[in-house]
Amino acid sequence: MACRFEFEMNNRTVTVETGKVARQANGAVVLRSGKTVILATAVMDDKPIEEHFLPLTVQYIEKSYAAGKIPGGFVKRETKPGDFETLTSRLIDRSLRPLFPKGFFNPVQITVMLLSVGEEADLQSLALDAASAALFISDIPVSQCVAGVRIGRKDGEFVINPTLDALEEGTLDLFVSGTKEDLLMIEMRAIGTVDVEIEPTVAVDPMMDPMLADEIIQIPHVNELKEEELVEAIELAQKAITLAASEYEKVYAEAAKPKKDVPLFEEKADPSIVTYVKEFYMDEINRALDGMAKSERGTEIKAIVEQVRGDEIARTEEWTDDQIKRAVGEVKRERVRAMILEEGRRADGRSPKDVRPITIETNLLPSVHGSCLFTRGETQALVTCTLGNRQDAQMFERITGKSASYEEFMVHYNFPGFSVGEASRIGPPGRRELGHGNLAKRALEPTLDKTELDAIIRLVSEILESNGSSSMATVCGGSLALKAAAVPVLKLVAGVAMGLVMEDDKYAILTDIMGLEDHDGDMDFKVAGSEDGITALQMDIKLGGISLDLLKEALEQAKEARLHILGIMDEAAKAIEVNEEVLPSSEVFHVSPHKIVDIIGQAGKTIREIIEKFEVNIDLDKKQGEVKVTGPSKAKVKAACDHIKGIVEGGGAKKEIPQFEIDKPMMGKVKKLVDFGAFVELPGGVDGLLHISKISRGRIAHPSDLLHEGQEIEVVVKSQKGHKISLELAKPLD
């Protein structure tokens, strides 16, 4: 039966159609919002798998034709998914997986295809809503709808489902998904911006007039979110989700198929086997927990299963391997949770609020621009920072973009099998690796001082050992690796993974969880930020819901841990010895625009000789007289700059720049008139800039209205930084 539904809520109008296309699927919908059209299908195999887990596969696929494009490259068809597609698939999976009933083991595939795209579409939110609708109206036994809501913040006000432009112009990107009753998943990033304040007397564009940079006050800051502000934003999202999910379920009921009677397998262990394990193997279980507190590998539990299997009663009663494994696992889980809730201690002896011991070593790799070995308990990340030039940026295409974009800050996370003691093949990054790298990037990027940054940055995290939250170790190590590479960072960022154990009215919030607690706990909650607030957050709730009061308590406990870790990181940062000899360097200075030809030389001969001699790159701006020199080392860049300044000043050697007395009148000669002012030659043969706003009290169209080249005028120096000298007239010309 074909049905069409229209929704107008949460600042968005959406139309959903079903029964028209993809009718062989268990469930299929076409969602439209503006020019965006998304097809979502849900398909289930009738036969369950033998292993006891939910084999759910989610694929979000962007079709190039959706934006009127042909795929670039040699192969003119869609190939492997891009990072955005993979991350979106992961987001949908994490939101929908909790909806399936326990004991459901039939393979399910959810496919979301982008067929047409509008420039301002929030594709992740729309894709999730479409996937949820396809699942809900299908005959697959899922009876709840999920809704996704994005919260932005601009001018201090929270905005529900902002446009993409409004989102990036603001300071917050918070995505929350849930049912009408419970939150299921949260992702958040602070959007780093730089405030620029210009003195009211200087009405100029700093990009057009870099010579006046000393008259522009730049105040960079990190847009962290306070814990109480985050709770307020999540509360707003929860209300919007409840409204949307309730409406979806009420309206979609008309088109929903009767649910199939799918067998659900008993996930609880056999009580008699559980009793036997508790009676005869509790000492082994406790020893296994001690070992599992030091490793994610879990070989100790496998050994106990083997022991039980060899017992006479197991053979007599014909217990299967799966029954024994479930029973041992249940006893282990009960013991882990009882220790925490009843004894107030964890498997490794810590209290709920304790952070594992931390050690930090920086710049241990002599040929690497910046490096940090961050170890927290049995989790260890080696994070390296490499600096490059503009050609090293990662080019990518967004389906909503009109041209290629460039990623200037990259975070790549690798998780080899040896980090957990496994002999597994090392291959390309999977969804987990991409997700963890993206989380670390979101945490660190807001702290980069982009007013001072002039390099492409690649962070690589090699996880050498893992037992709980290697992504947060990547954040901590990455922040220090940036510092070790002398990258301008506004603040250090630390990350910590939080957990929750809850039974009836008892609960315990756990700080710095290890793999054992992640597996047997009820929440996985990663928080990263500076001493002043949160820059990134990722949360998956396993128990079906969490109160805002409990969330606030968890955030406050995470803040305590973050400040503790930041204190250790701050001491490590003070001890950093930068690898100056291997760091690439750049220097920018200004000369009179008519001197640029001297640097280039006849047919480019001079500039080629400088590049070859000093092994540097040189960029010249003929209009503004800007010279930018970049190279593999600070010494080579400085030598090249000195050589260029010597050429400009004559004689092939660098002249001594006189230090002028501020506000002392002196005579100068107008050397060059440009759109934004005049270059004036001062005593000693150096030039200063007299900006057009300083030539006349009234507005003039061009400096030539009042000045001519060769004219002598009386000026005063207002500021001097090396070659950069800003001037004013000693007395008005008019």
Side-chain angles (χ1 to χ4, degrees):
M1 180 178 66
C3 297
R4 185 178 185 274
F5 311 105
E6 186 169 327
F7 305 93
E8 189 167 346
M9 65 184 79
N10 297 332
N11 296 330
R12 189 163 63 196
T13 300
V14 173
T15 300
V16 176
E17 296 176 278
T18 183
K20 183 177 180 180
V21 299
R23 290 172 294 184
Q24 300 298 315
N26 294 68
V29 302
V30 174
L31 180 147
R32 298 174 184 269
S33 179
K35 293 182 178 180
T36 300
V37 181
I38 294 174
L39 168 66
T41 64
V43 178
M44 176 186 71
D45 282 355
D46 291 330
K47 185 178 179 181
I49 61 171
E50 293 182 3
E51 298 85 356
H52 282 194
F53 70 94
L54 170 61
L56 172 65
T57 303
V58 178
Q59 290 179 293
Y60 166 77
I61 305 167
E62 292 181 343
K63 298 295 185 178
S64 295
Y65 57 70
K69 298 178 181 179
I70 295 175
F74 183 76
V75 179
K76 297 302 177 183
R77 67 180 300 160
E78 291 80 6
T79 54
K80 68 175 184 177
D83 285 1
F84 180 79
E85 291 170 283
T86 301
L87 293 170
T88 303
S89 299
R90 192 168 184 261
L91 180 147
I92 297 170
D93 185 306
R94 289 162 50 207
S95 299
L96 297 184
R97 189 173 288 271
L99 303 184
F100 288 85
K102 289 187 176 181
F104 179 89
F105 301 136
N106 291 54
V108 173
Q109 183 177 49
I110 294 173
T111 305
V112 184
M113 295 171 57
L114 179 66
L115 305 180
S116 175
V117 64
E119 292 182 4
E120 285 297 315
D122 183 347
L123 297 176
Q124 290 186 327
S125 179
L126 293 173
L128 174 59
D129 285 359
S132 175
L135 189 61
F136 183 82
I137 68 164
S138 73
D139 54 9
I140 301 171
V142 169
S143 56
Q144 289 180 293
C145 270
V146 165
V149 169
R150 196 177 297 276
I151 304 292
R153 191 182 198 188
K154 190 170 183 182
D155 299 327
E157 297 294 325
F158 293 120
V159 182
I160 298 175
N161 289 332
T163 64
L164 297 184
D165 285 344
L167 182 72
E168 292 302 323
E169 289 170 3
T171 60
L172 171 68
D173 179 3
L174 171 69
F175 187 88
V176 185
S177 68
T179 65
K180 64 184 179 183
E181 297 169 345
D182 298 319
L183 297 180
L184 299 174
M185 188 216 62
I186 303 172
E187 282 196 351
M188 168 254 168
R189 69 180 174 108
I191 301 176
T193 61
V194 176
D195 281 351
V196 179
E197 297 180 358
I198 302 177
E199 291 181 355
T201 57
V202 185
V204 296
D205 181 352
M207 298 302 295
M208 293 297 295
D209 189 5
M211 294 291 288
L212 287 178
D214 55 341
E215 297 191 22
I216 297 166
I217 305 171
Q218 295 183 330
I219 309 175
H221 70 281
V222 180
N223 286 318
E224 310 104 326
L225 202 64
K226 302 290 186 186
E227 280 73 10
E228 57 272 17
E229 293 173 328
L230 178 58
V231 172
E232 182 184 347
I234 292 173
E235 185 174 17
L236 177 64
Q238 187 176 38
K239 291 177 181 176
I241 288 169
T242 298
L243 170 68
S246 299
E247 186 68 12
Y248 291 159
E249 288 184 14
K250 182 173 69 175
V251 174
Y252 290 154
E254 177 187 340
K257 299 176 183 177
K259 299 301 179 182
K260 281 190 175 180
D261 186 15
V262 177
L264 301 180
F265 292 85
E266 180 62 49
E267 286 196 308
K268 281 193 171 291
D270 186 318
S272 62
I273 306 177
V274 169
T275 301
Y276 179 80
V277 172
K278 287 181 177 179
E279 183 70 26
F280 296 103
Y281 283 94
M282 278 310 299
D283 288 342
E284 286 82 353
I285 293 286
N286 286 325
R287 283 195 293 270
L289 291 181
D290 184 58
M292 294 179 76
K294 300 179 176 64
S295 170
E296 284 188 9
R297 194 174 182 187
T299 54
E300 296 86 353
I301 292 296
K302 294 178 183 177
I304 296 174
V305 172
E306 290 292 330
Q307 283 182 270
V308 176
R309 181 196 294 153
D311 289 352
E312 182 178 349
I313 188 172
R315 295 193 297 271
T316 303
E317 297 293 326
E318 297 181 344
W319 293 342
T320 65
D321 289 352
D322 187 64
Q323 287 177 315
I324 297 170
K325 185 177 178 181
R326 267 210 306 273
V328 172
E330 185 170 312
V331 174
K332 181 261 295 182
R333 183 176 187 273
E334 287 180 5
R335 179 58 185 147
V336 168
R337 297 169 72 87
M339 286 171 62
I340 293 168
L341 292 174
E342 296 171 14
E343 302 172 25
R345 67 183 182 91
R346 298 152 77 173
D348 59 359
R350 285 183 292 155
S351 76
K353 291 188 176 183
D354 286 345
V355 177
R356 289 171 290 179
I358 293 173
T359 60
I360 298 170
E361 188 177 351
T362 55
N363 278 346
L364 62 159
L365 304 176
S367 296
V368 176
H369 295 161
S371 58
C372 175
L373 182 65
F374 183 90
T375 307
R376 179 173 57 212
E378 292 75 36
T379 296
Q380 187 177 69
L382 174 63
V383 189
T384 61
C385 177
T386 307
L387 308 180
N389 54 38
R390 296 295 163 190
Q391 289 77 18
D392 295 315
Q394 173 67 63
M395 185 177 74
F396 65 95
E397 287 192 15
R398 282 261 168 86
I399 193 76
T400 52
K402 294 181 179 178
S403 59
S405 300
Y406 293 87
E407 187 178 11
E408 299 181 349
F409 177 56
M410 298 164 273
V411 181
H412 297 154
Y413 168 101
N414 299 315
F415 191 88
F418 65 73
S419 65
V420 288
E422 293 180 354
S424 59
R425 171 181 167 272
I426 295 178
R431 289 187 179 185
R432 182 177 185 271
E433 285 80 4
L434 290 174
H436 283 2
N438 182 60
L439 175 59
K441 177 182 177 178
R442 289 189 282 121
L444 295 170
E445 190 167 25
T447 68
L448 299 176
D449 186 354
K450 295 186 178 179
T451 62
E452 299 291 333
L453 184 61
D454 189 31
I456 302 302
I457 302 172
R458 182 186 184 227
L459 287 180
V460 179
S461 177
E462 309 286 2
I463 303 304
L464 306 183
E465 189 178 357
S466 178
N467 184 24
S469 195
S470 51
S471 63
M472 295 296 95
T474 297
V475 170
C476 299
S479 187
L480 288 168
L482 290 168
K483 279 273 192 182
V487 173
V489 175
L490 297 172
K491 297 175 182 177
L492 287 174
V493 171
V496 63
M498 307 296 292
L500 174 71
V501 174
M502 180 176 283
E503 296 283 355
D504 300 323
D505 59 343
K506 289 184 178 180
Y507 72 90
I509 299 169
L510 306 178
T511 295
D512 181 25
I513 59 173
M514 49 191 166
L516 176 66
E517 294 163 341
D518 185 7
H519 184 271
D520 292 328
D522 298 317
M523 182 177 70
D524 179 16
F525 184 19
K526 301 179 178 72
V527 191
S530 70
E531 61 184 358
D532 297 313
I534 300 168
T535 58
L537 176 145
Q538 180 177 294
M539 184 175 185
D540 291 297
I541 305 165
K542 306 173 188 177
L543 50 75
I546 184 172
S547 71
L548 290 175
D549 287 340
L550 186 57
L551 176 61
K552 187 173 182 179
E553 185 180 343
L555 285 169
E556 289 297 331
Q557 189 167 317
K559 180 180 179 180
E560 292 178 20
R562 191 170 76 244
L563 294 176
H564 166 75
I565 298 167
L566 282 168
I568 299 171
M569 290 173 60
D570 189 56
E571 291 302 312
K574 292 175 183 176
I576 289 175
E577 295 181 8
V578 177
N579 291 341
E580 294 280 2
E581 65 276 9
V582 300
L583 275 184
S585 180
S586 66
E587 186 172 329
V588 178
F589 60 95
H590 292 82
V591 299
S592 296
H594 70 278
K595 291 286 188 180
I596 294 293
V597 294
D598 296 334
I599 301 172
I600 297 173
Q602 188 174 3
K605 179 182 178 182
T606 304
I607 194 170
R608 284 198 305 271
E609 289 176 348
I610 299 170
I611 291 171
E612 292 173 5
K613 180 178 179 181
F614 298 101
E615 299 176 350
V616 295
N617 293 320
I618 302 173
D619 294 318
L620 303 173
D621 187 328
K622 296 180 181 179
K623 184 177 180 181
Q624 299 192 31
E626 182 182 275
V627 181
K628 180 180 178 182
V629 182
T630 58
S633 74
K634 197 170 185 178
K636 290 181 178 180
V637 169
K638 185 178 184 304
C641 290
D642 289 345
H643 186 81
I644 294 170
K645 291 171 184 176
I647 292 172
V648 170
E649 293 159 3
K654 181 183 175 184
K655 282 187 178 181
E656 187 70 23
I657 304 300
Q659 188 67 34
F660 295 102
E661 187 175 338
I662 302 299
D663 290 331
K664 180 180 180 181
M666 69 184 78
M667 295 304 295
K669 182 186 290 186
V670 177
K671 200 167 185 180
K672 180 77 173 178
L673 296 177
V674 291
D675 291 342
F676 52 81
F679 286 93
V680 180
E681 184 177 0
L682 303 175
V686 297
D687 294 344
L689 175 65
L690 180 64
H691 189 262
I692 190 171
S693 64
K694 307 296 185 183
I695 295 174
S696 171
R697 290 196 180 110
R699 293 184 63 86
I700 57 175
H702 193 273
S704 59
D705 291 349
L706 292 175
L707 297 174
H708 61 270
E709 291 181 4
Q711 178 181 353
E712 291 192 351
I713 55 176
E714 192 174 22
V715 295
V716 296
V717 174
K718 298 304 292 181
S719 67
Q720 178 178 1
K721 292 182 180 179
H723 285 262
K724 190 166 63 176
I725 302 170
S726 294
L727 304 175
E728 285 187 6
L729 290 169
K731 55 185 178 182
L733 291 176
D734 52 348

